[in-house]
Amino acid sequence: MKDQKALLFRCIKNDVPAMVFSGNDILFLPLLKKYYEDAKQAGCTQEFLDDIQLRIEEFGKHIEMSPDTIKLPD
């Protein structure tokens, strides 16, 4: 699994646009699932797709364990 924090810092250091989503954002999981489908259709590597799938599972578990913390972003 790629180090998301290191990726973000590399983007900041190199002045590359980046966006961070919170696991408490109710809109993030559907967005991530759509991104997976788009990445698969575009021909991304299986390693990349597997990493996204792990994130989907991770956020799905978070939602199940903490449903009262999931909300619309503000």
Side-chain angles (χ1 to χ4, degrees):
M1 198 174 337
K2 294 179 181 146
D3 184 346
Q4 300 298 306
K5 189 175 181 181
L7 178 61
L8 178 60
F9 286 142
R10 195 167 43 247
C11 287
I12 292 169
K13 179 182 176 190
N14 295 316
D15 199 26
V16 174
M19 188 165 195
V20 175
F21 292 94
S22 166
N24 295 337
D25 182 337
I26 196 167
L27 302 174
F28 181 62
L29 189 57
L31 175 69
L32 193 54
K33 288 178 179 180
K34 175 67 174 137
Y35 183 79
Y36 176 90
E37 291 303 321
D38 289 346
K40 186 175 182 177
Q41 186 175 12
C44 289
T45 66
Q46 190 60 49
E47 179 184 7
F48 184 77
L49 294 173
D50 291 346
D51 190 52
I52 297 170
Q53 185 60 45
L54 286 173
R55 299 287 176 225
I56 290 170
E57 292 168 10
E58 180 181 84
F59 281 102
K61 287 177 185 173
H62 174 70
I63 289 169
E64 287 176 15
M65 294 176 67
S66 305
D68 56 322
T69 66
I70 310 304
K71 62 183 179 107
L72 281 173
D74 50 13

